[in-house]
Amino acid sequence: MPYINENFIKIPAAYLFSEITRRVSQYASENPGVDIIRMGIGDVTLPLPDVCVDAMIKAADEQREVETFRGYGPEQGYDFLRKAIVENDFASLGIEPDEIFVSDGAKSDTGNIGDIFSGDNKVAITDPSYPVYVDTNAMGGRAGEFVNGCWTDLVYLTCNESSQFIPELPAEKVDIVYLCYPNNPTGTTLTKDQLAAWVNYALENRAIILFDAAYEAFITEKDVPHSIYEIAGAKEVAIEFRSYSKTAGFTGTRCGYTVVPKSVRASSENGGRVSLNKLWLRRQTTKFNGVSYVVQRAAEATYSPEGRKQVDELIRYYMENARVIREALQAIGLSVVGGVNAPYVWAKTPDGMSSWDYFDFLLKKKHIVCTPGVGFGASGEGFVRFSSFGDKDRIAEAVRRMVR
Amino acid sequence: MPYINENFIKIPAAYLFSEITRRVSQYASENPGVDIIRMGIGDVTLPLPDVCVDAMIKAADEQREVETFRGYGPEQGYDFLRKAIVENDFASLGIEPDEIFVSDGAKSDTGNIGDIFSGDNKVAITDPSYPVYVDTNAMGGRAGEFVNGCWTDLVYLTCNESSQFIPELPAEKVDIVYLCYPNNPTGTTLTKDQLAAWVNYALENRAIILFDAAYEAFITEKDVPHSIYEIAGAKEVAIEFRSYSKTAGFTGTRCGYTVVPKSVRASSENGGRVSLNKLWLRRQTTKFNGVSYVVQRAAEATYSPEGRKQVDELIRYYMENARVIREALQAIGLSVVGGVNAPYVWAKTPDGMSSWDYFDFLLKKKHIVCTPGVGFGASGEGFVRFSSFGDKDRIAEAVRRMVR
């Protein structure tokens, strides 16, 4: 009689976006004709850059002819893409092509990376955070029990106003730390010095940092590191996740990659130190068969001169939205962070309202949908997230309503 | 100090295809100008059907315009594809669209399915078999220790001449059984009655069958089931994996799907019976973000009348190759199975030669590359696998050399 992975049924139902959908649907059906503006979900709205579409079409046509047809590709990605990544995203940082693993996206990789670690590791996660870090560690048995809204074995690194949204180094020793900068959901960043403190913690404590840089392309300020490998020593302790999803509108096209430097090691029971690059290679070659050839060609196209231009235009469009949202929220007296180096603006609710109460207020009085901050963790209570991935005219209308 | 998943370093290095490459390269460099015919690797060689390329191009062009752009899709696949699968592949078998989970291929799914099961389950695997079943169970802690070429906790179901390549029901109770029919590597099949015996075993013992039907499209004989759900009761006990890889040449395009009927359940520690459909949905929505939109459109195109015709042509081409290979091997006096309902022909080596010795003989004397059967498990020793996924003229030349 087979037994399930018991950890799965400890995880509470994914509630946030389904509850948002339920409340919006109910309000819309009770108030037909109301024009609702959605600023909740972090999905892009602008189409794919032409260079990417052109590259996909060219690659698809190659698949039509026996001479240019491609069957199984390397599980870790084609050389043409791995080399383009190294040359463009990590120029002068000393990352090698065989340290790049192309995948179908950062969600898969940040989830699957747990495969290579023991279930006994102590894991620290910023609070609030992208729910995938929490849920996949729960599935892997590293979260313990879910009691009063928290997991007993996770170390939560509180990011709130009093910490200026900077996670403090943990008092206790942890083995694995998830950091996402620019941050989802708060839109905040770490300076080089602040990130260096984490790298040094990891070096001193032999911890591993799982660094999610999915929003790296949105950085506009100078002192904000684009890659954790800009910090000395990071190549000994950090794995970095990147994605074309938000950068180039690949949410429906699916491509990202993970950097696992050959010098990052973790311990074996026999006392040996094992290269995580080798383990991840083994994981990917055993449980994955690579990303679609046509999609890898689309990703490669983002690095051409014309591709860079088109990607920059996307980013600028969304960041102009972010500026407009941020300034509007400040104008109505809210305390906000984010929106400068990230497509998310994180706003404190007025008058100590709860996340869901303010969500309801905005829905019913302004016909605007945001994301309740508490959906990203207990420390998100009292905040809401606005996404800048929308149409600029709709966002202008939302701003008029908010300021009115 | 983080610890690795210790199971990873118990797994011996993936040796088979790298050793083949090494021997072939060495022979080629020592014998320049020799014309080597490769019949080893199970990758397709014919290009993608035109309908699939056309569908990808149309879908890529949709991604160019804001009105038709698609961002995040459902993690479990678009309705258009799930409905096409149900109507075409499971017509009259009572499978529902929400029991279909579209993925980037059967390798990912047969590997990742272990996530939803406890590490304590007893797993049975046919021997020889597709190495992914063995390696992913080892990674998940269900294989025990690797001693003398075998895993201590796996139950091996020997498929050899004396069992007529039919796996016998295990004497001990097992929780999870991997069956792949038509089989890789032997090319053999089970009749409905033979498969029904396994379904009945699973019903009686509350076991789960993980049924890999990746080669279903190659079935030519009447009594061979295309889906395990043709067997009464299977919807209570079986998960089925399908792939477009070999059917429609998607090895580089990447799409497959897994069927998890809502009635398949496994036990929880508290004695409850949990729907695996719900667990797999949770796994996929948490650790996966769906297959590229353009690729799902390509998969859908295989079900159009013109798509069916083009896919049938591919299959017929490879199966004619299989017939030619099979008859040639019989003509030179080898005992063979497969090649009738599968693209693989499994041949017993002559004079009791080992798999690798016969591999070397074919390489050096006939300049033909096959796959040593022992690479698929201990019971594959004394056999070699020939793949029919090649060019027919090259296979004709290989046959001339063998018969000479």
Side-chain angles (χ1 to χ4, degrees):
Chain A
M1 187 162 72
Y3 278 87
I4 61 163
N5 175 347
E6 205 71 18
N7 296 306
F8 269 64
I9 55 173
K10 296 179 186 171
I11 304 170
Y15 161 84
L16 179 63
F17 289 102
S18 59
E19 179 62 13
I20 291 174
T21 303
R22 194 191 67 74
R23 292 192 190 204
V24 174
S25 304
Q26 189 183 332
Y27 183 75
S29 75
E30 287 167 7
N31 299 274
V34 159
D35 176 34
I36 294 171
I37 302 177
R38 287 156 208 272
M39 299 168 72
I41 293 173
D43 196 2
V44 297
T45 54
L46 291 179
L48 211 57
D50 276 326
V51 292
C52 298
V53 175
D54 293 342
M56 275 207 277
I57 289 174
K58 182 167 174 284
D61 266 326
E62 288 175 33
Q63 295 292 77
R64 209 192 283 279
E65 307 299 332
V66 72
E67 294 77 17
T68 50
F69 174 76
R70 306 242 189 170
Y72 287 122
E75 290 97 339
Q76 57 274 50
Y78 280 103
D79 281 345
F80 63 77
L81 181 54
R82 299 171 95 193
K83 281 181 188 161
I85 289 167
V86 164
E87 285 165 17
N88 289 280
D89 291 343
F90 299 97
S92 80
L93 293 180
I95 299 294
E96 309 278 341
D98 63 356
E99 297 176 322
I100 304 291
F101 295 83
V102 177
S103 81
D104 57 306
K107 185 178 178 188
S108 302
D109 284 357
T110 52
N112 291 330
I113 195 78
D115 280 11
I116 64 171
F117 292 107
S118 153
D120 296 327
N121 289 300
K122 194 78 178 170
V123 174
I125 290 176
T126 56
D127 179 26
S129 77
Y130 180 43
V132 165
Y133 311 148
V134 175
D135 289 353
T136 58
N137 275 290
M139 288 175 175
R142 281 179 287 271
E145 304 298 323
F146 192 69
V147 181
N148 297 330
C150 288
W151 290 92
T152 52
D153 289 357
L154 291 183
V155 173
Y156 291 95
L157 306 168
T158 302
C159 295
N160 59 19
E161 270 189 312
S162 65
S163 67
Q164 295 182 289
F165 299 95
I166 312 299
E168 279 179 40
L169 299 176
E172 58 197 301
K173 257 194 171 191
V174 301
D175 303 308
I176 297 171
V177 183
Y178 286 76
L179 296 177
C180 171
Y181 288 98
N183 188 254
N184 176 17
T186 68
T188 58
T189 53
L190 298 183
T191 63
K192 280 192 182 162
D193 285 348
Q194 287 161 347
L195 188 54
W198 277 98
V199 171
N200 290 333
Y201 171 89
L203 287 165
E204 281 160 24
N205 294 276
R206 284 197 162 181
I208 299 281
I209 297 174
L210 300 178
F211 190 73
D212 186 346
Y215 296 96
E216 164 275 330
F218 296 88
I219 294 171
T220 61
E221 291 183 319
K222 250 195 159 175
D223 188 42
V224 178
H226 287 247
S227 165
I228 196 168
Y229 304 117
E230 295 175 32
I231 311 298
K235 263 186 277 181
E236 315 298 316
V237 294
I239 290 173
E240 181 165 307
F241 304 93
R242 293 274 189 112
S243 170
Y244 299 96
S245 282
K246 311 296 164 78
T247 313
F250 272 51
T251 54
T253 300
R254 310 304 316 140
C255 198
Y257 63 87
T258 291
V259 189
V260 190
K262 290 189 284 282
S263 43
V264 178
R265 292 172 184 276
S267 296
S268 165
E269 283 168 13
N270 63 16
R273 301 278 295 163
V274 180
S275 160
L276 297 188
N277 180 285
K278 272 192 187 167
L279 292 194
W280 186 242
L281 177 65
R282 191 65 202 244
R283 194 272 167 208
Q284 291 298 82
T285 52
T286 303
K287 290 193 180 184
F288 184 58
N289 237 336
V291 173
S292 182
Y293 170 65
V294 303
V295 170
Q296 292 193 59
R297 284 295 188 195
E300 181 195 26
T302 63
Y303 297 111
S304 68
E306 183 56 29
R308 290 198 157 277
K309 226 181 84 188
Q310 292 179 9
V311 166
D312 284 350
E313 275 166 29
L314 290 182
I315 302 281
R316 264 206 306 276
Y317 182 97
Y318 293 133
M319 289 311 289
E320 173 60 15
N321 285 347
R323 185 190 63 77
V324 168
I325 295 167
R326 181 183 162 91
E327 292 182 358
L329 294 170
Q330 285 172 326
I332 62 171
L334 297 192
S335 170
V336 300
V337 291
V340 176
N341 299 300
Y344 299 123
V345 181
W346 187 247
K348 191 176 180 185
T349 61
D351 309 320
M353 285 171 87
S354 78
S355 293
W356 278 110
D357 282 351
Y358 192 55
F359 170 91
D360 283 336
F361 167 81
L362 285 177
L363 174 62
K364 291 175 185 174
K365 302 296 178 192
K366 306 285 182 180
H367 308 152
I368 291 170
V369 180
C370 65
T371 311
V374 70
F376 299 99
S379 298
E381 180 57 284
F383 292 85
V384 293
R385 187 190 77 174
F386 293 91
S387 158
S388 68
F389 292 122
D391 177 81
K392 76 175 191 320
D393 296 332
R394 297 291 284 162
I395 286 175
E397 167 60 18
V399 161
R400 277 191 294 276
R401 292 183 194 171
M402 282 195 266
V403 176
R404 197 180 296 154
Chain B
M1 186 163 70
Y3 277 86
I4 61 164
N5 175 345
E6 205 71 18
N7 296 306
F8 269 63
I9 54 172
K10 296 179 187 171
I11 304 170
Y15 162 83
L16 180 63
F17 289 103
S18 58
E19 179 62 14
I20 291 174
T21 303
R22 196 191 65 75
R23 292 193 191 204
V24 173
S25 302
Q26 188 183 332
Y27 184 75
S29 75
E30 288 166 7
N31 300 274
V34 158
D35 176 34
I36 294 172
I37 301 177
R38 286 156 210 272
M39 299 169 73
I41 293 173
D43 195 3
V44 297
T45 53
L46 291 179
L48 212 56
D50 277 327
V51 292
C52 298
V53 175
D54 294 342
M56 274 207 279
I57 290 174
K58 180 165 176 285
D61 266 326
E62 288 175 31
Q63 294 293 78
R64 210 191 283 277
E65 307 297 333
V66 72
E67 295 76 18
T68 49
F69 174 75
R70 307 242 187 171
Y72 287 124
E75 289 96 338
Q76 58 274 50
Y78 280 103
D79 281 345
F80 65 75
L81 181 54
R82 299 169 95 194
K83 280 181 188 160
I85 288 166
V86 164
E87 284 165 18
N88 289 279
D89 290 343
F90 298 97
S92 81
L93 293 181
I95 299 294
E96 308 278 340
D98 62 356
E99 297 175 321
I100 304 291
F101 295 83
V102 177
S103 79
D104 56 307
K107 184 179 178 187
S108 302
D109 284 357
T110 52
N112 292 330
I113 195 77
D115 279 11
I116 66 172
F117 292 107
S118 155
D120 296 327
N121 289 301
K122 194 79 181 170
V123 174
I125 289 174
T126 54
D127 179 25
S129 77
Y130 180 43
V132 165
Y133 312 147
V134 175
D135 289 353
T136 59
N137 275 289
M139 287 175 175
R142 280 179 288 271
E145 304 298 324
F146 192 68
V147 181
N148 297 330
C150 287
W151 290 91
T152 52
D153 289 358
L154 292 182
V155 174
Y156 291 94
L157 306 168
T158 302
C159 295
N160 59 19
E161 270 189 314
S162 64
S163 66
Q164 294 183 289
F165 299 96
I166 312 298
E168 279 179 40
L169 299 176
E172 58 197 303
K173 257 195 168 188
V174 301
D175 303 309
I176 296 171
V177 183
Y178 286 76
L179 296 176
C180 170
Y181 288 97
N183 188 255
N184 175 17
T186 67
T188 57
T189 53
L190 297 183
T191 63
K192 280 191 183 160
D193 286 348
Q194 287 162 345
L195 188 54
W198 277 97
V199 170
N200 291 333
Y201 170 89
L203 286 165
E204 281 160 24
N205 295 277
R206 285 196 161 183
I208 300 281
I209 298 173
L210 300 178
F211 190 74
D212 187 346
Y215 296 95
E216 163 275 329
F218 297 88
I219 294 170
T220 60
E221 291 183 320
K222 251 196 159 175
D223 188 42
V224 178
H226 287 247
S227 166
I228 196 168
Y229 305 117
E230 294 175 32
I231 310 298
K235 262 185 280 182
E236 316 296 318
V237 294
I239 290 173
E240 182 166 306
F241 303 94
R242 293 276 189 111
S243 170
Y244 299 96
S245 282
K246 311 297 163 78
T247 312
F250 271 52
T251 53
T253 300
R254 309 306 314 141
C255 197
Y257 63 87
T258 289
V259 189
V260 189
K262 290 189 285 283
S263 43
V264 179
R265 291 172 183 276
S267 297
S268 165
E269 283 168 14
N270 64 16
R273 300 279 293 164
V274 180
S275 160
L276 297 189
N277 180 286
K278 272 192 186 168
L279 293 194
W280 187 241
L281 177 64
R282 191 66 201 244
R283 193 271 168 211
Q284 291 298 81
T285 53
T286 304
K287 289 194 181 183
F288 185 59
N289 237 335
V291 172
S292 182
Y293 170 65
V294 303
V295 170
Q296 292 193 58
R297 285 295 188 196
E300 181 194 28
T302 63
Y303 297 111
S304 67
E306 183 57 27
R308 291 198 157 276
K309 227 180 84 189
Q310 292 178 12
V311 167
D312 283 351
E313 275 166 29
L314 291 182
I315 303 280
R316 265 207 304 277
Y317 181 96
Y318 293 133
M319 289 310 290
E320 173 61 13
N321 284 348
R323 184 190 63 76
V324 168
I325 296 167
R326 182 183 160 91
E327 292 180 359
L329 295 169
Q330 286 172 326
I332 61 170
L334 297 191
S335 169
V336 300
V337 292
V340 176
N341 299 299
Y344 299 122
V345 181
W346 187 247
K348 192 177 182 185
T349 61
D351 309 321
M353 284 171 89
S354 77
S355 292
W356 279 111
D357 282 350
Y358 193 54
F359 170 91
D360 283 336
F361 167 81
L362 285 176
L363 174 62
K364 292 174 185 175
K365 301 296 177 193
K366 306 285 182 180
H367 308 150
I368 290 169
V369 180
C370 64
T371 311
V374 69
F376 299 98
S379 298
E381 180 56 283
F383 290 86
V384 294
R385 188 190 77 174
F386 292 90
S387 158
S388 68
F389 292 123
D391 177 79
K392 74 175 191 319
D393 295 333
R394 298 289 285 161
I395 286 175
E397 167 60 17
V399 160
R400 275 191 295 276
R401 293 184 195 171
M402 282 196 265
V403 176
R404 197 178 296 153

